[in-house]
Amino acid sequence: MAENIFMSSQHQSDRFEILDLLLWGRPLNEVLCKVCAQHEAAYPGHHCSILFADSLNHQLRGCVAPSLPPEFAQAVNPLPIALTGSCCGKAAALKEPVLADNLFESADLEPFFPILRQVGMSSCWSYPVLDSQKQLLGTFSVLRGQTGLPTREENEGIARAVDLTRLVLERQERLQTIRTLDSSYFSTQTSICFCDLRSPLMLIHQANDSLCQLLGGNPDGHPLGDFFPEREPFQALDRVSNRAITPARRFDGSEFHCEVNVLRVCDDYGEMTRLFLTFHDISERLANQAALAESEARFRRIFEEVPHVAVRGCSPDGKVRFWNRASEKLFGYTAEEAIGQALPRCGEAHYSSSNEYELYRKDGTLVPVFGTSVPLTTPGVGMEVYTLEIDLSQLKETERERIQLLQLLLQAQKMEALGQLTGGIAHDFNNILATILGNLELARLDPDPTLLEEIQVAAERARDLTQRMLSYSHPHPSSRTATPLLEPIREVCRILSAVIPSSIQLRLNLSELAPPAQLDPVELHQILANLVINARDELPEQGLIEVGLRYAELESLVCSSCLRPVEGPLVEVWVRDSGPGIPAEIRSRIFDPFFTTKGVGKGSGLGLAVLHRLVHERGGHVVVAPGPGAHFRVLLQPAPNSPAPPPTAANSGPAPNKIMVIDDEPMLARMLGKLLVSRGYQADVYTDSKLAWEAFTADPQAYAAVITDQTMPNKTGDVFAREALALRPDLPILLCTGFSERIDADAAHAIGIRFFFQKPVKPATLFEALAQVVPAPG
């Protein structure tokens, strides 16, 4: 009993000693070292260690351990707050004591074994130090040279040391907060001071540096009235009001506008003795407000007077609040008639939109406008919807005139193209008339019924030609019929051949497999006439014009006129020539209306502009391919539900029965293609070895075999075979030749050609050889 009383009195003495150190403002480490020394004096063999909590970095740091070597403090500074590792870190994480009776039996403590052996410590009892809100302040630990756990008496002593540590750390936190607030008070940019209400002059004291700078001197001891000559704003500060705006005067006599805010300070008896005042120079703010009001008035005058733009402001319920003069002119209502009213169609808000619509005038007529509306919220006014509208009546009328003019220009261009075809049409009619007259003469000599049939066929051909020309020359509504392009292309090229000099070759390269396209036949005539006549005009005395047709699985392309990506597959009609090509500096302008490189009177400059319009109206595109020569690729949408060639993929293996046929004699090439199709094969027919090579290199695996002629422009058959086998060594190639001094059967086999034939070749012989390399379709 006596011992407990002694311990209690000793604890009180220790506590007073610690409090005395705190009152004298001794350093934190000195006070905590004293806490450790007091406990170690009461319990010999105990070595104390105190760590501070660093919540931001989730660790313990700043070890205070006066009876342990400095190496120990360095080894445990810092320690992570975690459920594994050190006893202190675990106690901080759990916020519960962690007692280790034998440190060397814990695997978690293995990193600390060297320092523990060095300082001779074998057990550790760690306790968290928590504030009144159970927030972690740090840890208090006892290390001993012997193993074991604390006795009840030792636990009580440690609890008292932990309580003293909590007292010291809590007071340290409060002191730090006070210092921070005190530093903020004097360093803040807000001008502040206290005012003594016990003095009738309301003397200022404790002014901070910011207020001294604001007033141009230290106002401590000066009456408040020295700086605020108008007393009235302060009359209610000590009773009711918390804010006042008043003129203020600096030490040098200059004046400014000041906003004063007040916090009342009472003594222990509840009597208000002081005012805590904050001051803000609002001169700039008031000047800005005045400038803003002037700006608003100026812009309001602008909106009032701006011509041609009707500006109206409406409340959310549609009632007009603002109505400028242009609104009066547009709608017919005066401002006096409109303001306060919800006018027909005028109260509807097109929030944050820009579009065209129609509104009613006062006389009941509709006016087309383009308008944009924005909801605005103004302090003291609320939400308003302001709408700016432009009368589109004149613009609409101008657009109608423009469309009419465009239609006239298109018709004029069509007639220009028709004029280019006149020679070809006359040539056809002369041939038809010659046929009719010749057969009539023969009928007089011999009344053979077959002669009358020939006359009828010629007359029907003249009728069809006349109908096509009438359809072409007269305006007509365009249709979206599916048009097979093969025969119309042949027909228009046959007509065009009569207006092309004999020194210029017009060659066709048309695929039988191309599906119908979404293009009117008359539009096809106009497109081809423009491109072929342009090519003729750009060629010198001799040259080549090629017109082609195919079903195109397109690579990555960009339309040359609208600059959008081209998406396939599409039906491709191309026209290319062997001329000088299109100079790079004018390529971006060739589709502009009225742009032409031809001389005065030789071209209107509408041909390519019309081509652009016709093709894009059908969802197609135009690509100007790189030279040599001019090369126009017209890419058209296939007609809906039209059959397409079966898809092939690169490197997916050869198509089982797709044969490439190459022969520069169109009739022979077409005949061979038809024979292959009749036997169940697929056939890609080419009359130009260059185009065939482009198709082959695009997908070498697409063909099961190649049947090629030997003597051809661009690439001869043996050259084509040699280059194709370099890309695909397993490709079966069948070579046919009428006569060639450069290749025979032995030379062909040496290249890798499977079969060599001298023309003419019987179809049965050809198909027998083909069946050996490509199985005949079932």
Side-chain angles (χ1 to χ4, degrees):
M1 182 70 174
E3 184 178 355
N4 288 338
I5 294 174
F6 171 76
M7 290 301 294
S8 177
S9 62
Q10 181 63 44
H11 174 60
Q12 292 297 330
S13 174
D14 291 344
R15 187 180 183 87
F16 286 140
E17 186 177 2
I18 295 301
L19 290 174
D20 190 51
L21 291 174
L22 291 175
L23 288 173
W24 282 101
R26 304 305 299 169
L28 177 63
N29 274 18
E30 180 183 334
V31 180
L32 291 177
C33 284
K34 189 64 178 178
V35 173
C36 294
Q38 288 176 351
H39 180 82
E40 291 170 354
Y43 299 95
H46 285 201
H47 298 273
C48 300
S49 168
I50 298 174
L51 290 165
F52 310 124
D54 181 358
S55 301
L56 183 63
N57 296 307
H58 208 63
Q59 62 183 12
L60 299 170
R61 59 175 180 79
C63 179
V64 176
S67 65
L68 291 169
E71 292 84 358
F72 176 83
Q74 293 174 3
V76 298
N77 184 22
L79 289 176
I81 299 175
L83 296 176
T84 58
S86 67
C87 298
C88 300
K90 190 180 301 183
L94 295 171
K95 295 186 178 179
E96 295 178 357
V98 173
L99 308 178
D101 60 341
N102 191 336
L103 295 172
F104 296 99
E105 291 181 351
S106 174
D108 286 345
L109 297 174
E110 187 174 348
F112 299 98
F113 285 175
I115 188 63
L116 291 173
R117 290 193 180 96
Q118 181 180 342
V119 298
M121 296 295 109
S122 299
S123 59
C124 178
W125 311 328
S126 295
Y127 297 78
V129 180
L130 307 176
D131 64 10
S132 58
Q133 303 298 322
K134 301 300 182 183
Q135 298 299 311
L136 184 69
L137 298 174
T139 60
F140 183 91
S141 301
V142 172
L143 290 96
R144 298 170 66 249
Q146 299 81 25
T147 59
L149 297 174
T151 64
R152 178 179 177 183
E153 177 188 344
E154 288 174 321
N155 263 331
E156 291 175 352
I158 294 172
R160 289 192 291 270
V162 170
D163 184 57
L164 282 176
T165 303
R166 176 192 60 76
L167 179 68
V168 173
L169 294 181
E170 277 190 330
R171 187 178 185 280
Q172 178 66 20
E173 276 200 348
R174 293 193 188 100
L175 283 174
Q176 186 62 37
T177 301
I178 291 170
R179 291 191 186 108
T180 301
L181 291 175
D182 189 54
S183 174
S184 299
Y185 176 84
F186 288 103
S187 63
T188 181
Q189 297 301 312
T190 302
S191 302
I192 55 180
C193 73
F194 286 93
C195 184
D196 192 351
L197 292 179
R198 292 169 295 188
S199 167
L201 297 177
M202 301 178 68
L203 298 178
I204 296 173
H205 62 95
Q206 290 185 281
N208 70 346
D209 290 343
S210 181
L211 181 59
C212 294
Q213 293 177 7
L214 177 64
L215 298 178
N218 191 342
D220 283 356
H222 288 262
L224 191 62
D226 286 358
F227 306 98
F228 302 95
E230 295 185 7
R231 178 75 176 175
E232 291 77 7
F234 293 94
Q235 293 295 329
L237 278 180
D238 57 351
R239 297 190 301 275
V240 181
S241 178
N242 294 322
R243 178 174 175 271
I245 295 178
T246 179
R249 183 186 300 121
R250 298 184 179 87
F251 275 98
D252 62 5
S254 60
E255 294 188 351
F256 62 98
H257 285 87
C258 186
E259 178 183 89
V260 184
N261 294 276
V262 63
L263 177 66
R264 298 168 186 82
V265 181
C266 300
D267 61 14
D268 294 338
Y269 302 100
E271 181 181 352
M272 187 166 55
T273 58
R274 292 192 298 172
L275 297 179
F276 177 73
L277 302 174
T278 66
F279 305 89
H280 298 275
D281 184 353
I282 61 170
S283 302
E284 184 177 355
R285 186 205 307 173
L286 293 179
N288 290 339
Q289 290 175 350
L292 179 60
E294 181 183 351
S295 176
E296 289 176 350
R298 181 168 61 253
F299 279 103
R300 190 176 187 87
R301 290 195 300 272
I302 291 173
F303 279 127
E304 285 280 3
E305 302 297 334
V306 63
H308 311 306
V309 180
V311 182
R312 55 188 174 90
C314 297
S315 59
D317 60 2
K319 293 184 178 179
V320 176
R321 292 181 178 175
F322 180 81
W323 192 263
N324 71 344
R325 293 186 182 180
S327 297
E328 293 181 348
K329 182 178 179 181
L330 179 60
F331 298 107
Y333 294 95
T334 64
E336 292 76 12
E337 293 172 327
I339 291 177
Q341 303 297 319
L343 301 177
R345 296 285 186 95
C346 293
E348 296 179 0
H350 305 270
Y351 293 106
S352 301
S353 63
S354 298
N355 50 29
E356 294 183 20
Y357 46 91
E358 292 183 326
L359 297 174
Y360 281 108
R361 287 193 175 100
K362 183 179 180 180
D363 59 8
T365 59
L366 284 170
V367 56
V369 298
F370 178 86
T372 183
S373 298
V374 180
L376 298 176
T377 301
T378 306
V381 177
M383 194 188 81
E384 295 178 313
V385 180
Y386 278 84
T387 305
L388 284 70
E389 291 158 329
I390 300 174
D391 185 354
L392 296 180
S393 302
Q394 185 62 42
L395 186 62
K396 294 283 186 182
E397 181 61 30
T398 303
E399 178 65 12
R400 282 192 291 269
E401 293 176 356
R402 187 192 69 81
I403 293 174
Q404 291 176 358
L405 179 60
L406 178 60
Q407 291 173 344
L408 291 174
L409 288 173
L410 291 176
Q411 185 64 17
Q413 199 281 327
K414 188 185 295 185
M415 298 308 296
E416 178 188 348
L418 182 62
Q420 299 281 5
L421 300 178
T422 302
I425 297 167
H427 179 269
D428 270 15
F429 265 106
N430 285 334
N431 287 338
I432 292 169
L433 290 174
T435 301
I436 293 173
L437 292 173
N439 281 294
L440 285 173
E441 185 67 27
L442 290 173
R444 289 193 186 97
L445 300 175
D446 181 10
D448 186 352
T450 59
L451 298 176
L452 295 178
E453 293 176 2
E454 291 289 337
I455 293 172
Q456 182 178 353
V457 170
E460 289 175 351
R461 185 178 170 195
R463 177 200 63 195
D464 294 342
L465 182 60
T466 303
Q467 288 178 348
R468 283 197 297 272
M469 292 305 101
L470 288 174
S471 175
Y472 182 80
S473 61
H474 287 79
H476 68 287
S478 60
S479 62
R480 291 190 176 271
T481 57
T483 303
L485 302 182
L486 191 65
E487 291 306 321
I489 291 176
R490 286 175 177 162
E491 176 69 20
V492 72
C493 288
R494 189 176 61 79
I495 295 173
L496 287 169
S497 63
V499 296
I500 296 176
S502 58
S503 60
I504 296 177
Q505 179 186 359
L506 179 61
R507 187 168 67 192
L508 302 185
N509 191 350
L510 309 178
S511 170
E512 303 276 352
L513 302 177
Q518 295 190 51
L519 189 69
D520 189 281
V522 173
E523 294 170 345
L524 176 64
H525 276 241
Q526 192 169 1
I527 290 170
L528 283 178
N530 281 328
L531 292 177
V532 172
I533 295 301
N534 281 349
R536 180 202 67 182
D537 294 343
E538 294 300 321
L539 285 173
E541 294 182 357
Q542 294 182 343
L544 170 67
I545 300 174
E546 181 181 75
V547 178
L549 170 68
R550 67 169 180 161
Y551 186 82
E553 293 282 355
L554 295 176
E555 65 276 18
S556 298
L557 292 176
V558 175
C559 179
S560 300
S561 56
C562 71
L563 303 181
R564 294 178 181 174
V566 179
E567 297 180 357
L570 298 170
V571 180
E572 178 180 349
V573 178
W574 75 84
V575 175
R576 62 181 175 183
D577 61 55
S578 59
I582 303 172
E585 60 270 16
I586 68 168
R587 284 192 178 182
S588 62
R589 302 175 57 197
I590 59 176
F591 294 100
D592 294 347
F594 306 110
F595 177 79
T596 180
T597 58
K598 299 177 183 179
V600 177
K602 294 184 179 181
S604 64
L606 290 173
L608 293 181
V610 170
L611 182 147
H612 163 85
R613 174 179 170 274
L614 293 176
V615 172
H616 283 77
E617 280 184 352
R618 300 302 189 181
H621 294 280
V622 183
V623 174
V624 181
H631 184 180
F632 286 85
R633 303 175 65 184
V634 179
L635 305 167
L636 304 169
Q637 292 289 340
N641 304 320
S642 59
T648 58
N651 302 321
S652 60
N657 59 359
K658 189 174 184 179
I659 312 299
M660 175 180 280
V661 176
I662 315 170
D663 199 308
D664 63 337
E665 177 55 50
M667 291 179 59
L668 187 57
R670 287 198 299 270
M671 179 272 295
L672 185 52
K674 290 178 180 179
L675 282 174
L676 287 167
V677 172
S678 69
R679 297 293 184 96
Y681 292 97
Q682 300 177 51
D684 274 6
V685 178
Y686 293 90
T687 59
D688 186 333
S689 60
K690 182 179 179 182
L691 294 178
W693 178 249
E694 291 175 358
F696 179 79
T697 55
D699 188 0
Q701 298 294 331
Y703 299 97
V706 173
I707 301 175
T708 179
D709 185 25
Q710 166 60 19
T711 306
M712 297 182 293
N714 296 320
K715 284 183 185 292
T716 57
D718 59 331
V719 172
F720 186 99
R722 188 179 291 105
E723 294 180 359
L725 289 170
L727 290 178
R728 188 178 146 200
D730 64 332
L731 177 68
I733 298 178
L734 292 75
L735 180 69
C736 304
T737 180
F739 174 77
S740 177
E741 294 182 349
R742 59 181 292 171
I743 191 166
D744 54 20
D746 292 337
H749 293 148
I751 293 173
I753 296 171
R754 302 287 182 91
F755 295 97
F756 177 85
F757 299 102
Q758 290 284 349
K759 293 181 180 180
V761 185
K762 292 182 179 181
T765 304
L766 183 64
F767 284 115
E768 181 181 347
L770 182 61
Q772 297 182 39
V773 291
V774 180

